[in-house]
Amino acid sequence: GAVVSQHPSWVICKSGTSVKIECRSLDFQATTMFWYRQFPKQSLMLMATSNEGSKATYEQGVEKDKFLINHASLTLSTLTVTSAHPEDSSFYICSAKTVGNSYEQYFGPGTRLTVT
Amino acid sequence: GQQLNQSPQSMFIQEGEDVSMNCTSSSIFNTWLWYKQDPGEGPVLLIALYKAGELTSNGRLTAQFGITRKDSFLNISASIPSDVGIYFCAGHLNGQNFVFGPGTRLSVLP
C-alpha cells in the first residue's frame, strides 16, 4: 500500500517551453501532496505544499508563477514548470501524506528534468 | 528555521558489519521518519517514530526516538550490498512541514 507514481520519469525540453509533471497516489487518498527539488548529492528541498481543492503554499524563494501546482483531486497533483531554463534542470520528487492522523509521507520515484 | 544534522555524512563498511547513524536537531519534534534513497529514485520510508523513547524495528533496521525529542538513531545489522544508498531522517512538529536532514551516504564493500 501507499504507492505514489510520477510521470514522466524523465523529460528533456528546450529553453522556453513548459513541462508538466504528474504525481498520483495509486492506492490511497491524499489531501496533501508535497513537491520537492533535489540537486545532485544534496538533500530534499521543499518547494510547495499542495492541498486538494485549494491553492498551493509555496516555500520562500520559490516562484509560484514559474512552478504552477494544481491539486484537482485526492489522487492527483501536477507541477508545471513554465518557461523552463537550464537552471531549472533538476530531480523533482513529489510525496503524498495519507488522510488522517498519520504524518507519514510516501514519495514518488522522481522526475529528472533536463532543459537544453 | 529548524535544521537537522546527520552523522556521519558518509561511511564505508564491510558487508556483514553493523551500521549506526544519527540525526540531531536544535529543536524538538513529535515525529521522526527514516528514509532510504537509491540513485535516481525517490526516498522510501523505512521506519516512523511517534513517541519519545520509542524503539521500532523493521527487519534488520532499528530506529529510536530520542528521549529529548531532539534526536533519533538508525541502526542496520549485518549489512548487505543492497543497503547501499543515502539515508535521510525527517522530523515533524505539529502544524509544520517536515524537515529533512542532509543524509548519510552508505557504501558497503563486499
Side-chain angles (χ1 to χ4, degrees):
Chain A
V3 178
V4 177
S5 70
Q6 276 185 246
H7 178 80
S9 56
W10 60 271
V11 57
I12 302 173
C13 69
K14 293 185 177 180
S15 287
T17 61
S18 295
V19 174
K20 179 185 284 188
I21 302 171
E22 293 185 348
C23 177
R24 294 181 185 271
S25 56
L26 298 185
D27 53 0
F28 67 101
Q29 293 182 330
T31 54
T32 304
M33 290 183 172
F34 304 89
W35 286 95
Y36 293 85
R37 185 173 179 177
Q38 187 178 34
F39 292 104
K41 297 186 178 182
Q42 293 192 20
S43 188
L44 303 160
M45 184 188 80
L46 179 65
M47 299 175 64
T49 301
S50 170
N51 294 297
E52 187 265 338
S54 64
K55 292 183 178 180
T57 302
Y58 290 82
E59 294 299 300
Q60 191 173 10
V62 178
E63 299 176 59
K64 62 180 181 180
D65 294 331
K66 181 169 184 60
F67 299 99
L68 300 179
I69 291 173
N70 183 275
H71 194 158
S73 76
L74 287 173
T75 59
L76 173 65
S77 176
T78 60
L79 168 68
T80 301
V81 183
T82 62
S83 188
H85 291 282
E87 57 265 31
D88 297 326
S89 299
S90 190
F91 193 51
Y92 292 87
I93 314 175
C94 72
S95 71
K97 188 177 83 70
T98 55
V99 175
N101 294 326
S102 169
Y103 293 104
E104 298 170 10
Q105 283 188 55
Y106 295 91
F107 284 86
T111 296
R112 171 78 56 195
L113 170 63
T114 302
V115 184
T116 61
Chain B
Q2 296 170 317
Q3 289 187 338
L4 296 182
N5 296 309
Q6 285 189 247
S7 178
Q9 290 184 340
S10 63
M11 55 195 313
F12 293 81
I13 61 169
Q14 293 286 340
E15 183 177 354
E17 289 184 351
D18 296 342
V19 176
S20 291
M21 61 186 79
N22 67 10
C23 184
T24 59
S25 170
S26 57
S27 54
I28 63 172
F29 288 106
N30 290 334
T31 301
W32 286 98
L33 304 180
W34 282 93
Y35 289 89
K36 177 177 182 278
Q37 185 178 30
D38 292 329
E41 300 288 334
V44 174
L45 181 62
L46 299 174
I47 292 178
L49 302 163
Y50 295 102
K51 187 178 179 181
E54 178 182 355
L55 184 70
T56 298
S57 294
N58 178 8
R60 293 179 296 106
L61 278 63
T62 301
Q64 184 163 25
F65 193 141
I67 197 70
T68 65
R69 295 170 61 192
K70 293 183 178 182
D71 58 6
S72 179
F73 302 87
L74 176 69
N75 295 321
I76 305 173
S77 63
S79 59
I80 59 177
S82 61
D83 290 333
V84 168
I86 304 175
Y87 291 80
F88 291 103
C89 63
H92 180 266
L93 190 62
N94 291 348
Q96 300 181 16
N97 288 321
F98 275 92
V99 178
F100 282 82
T104 291
R105 186 178 297 271
L106 176 64
S107 299
V108 179
L109 305 175

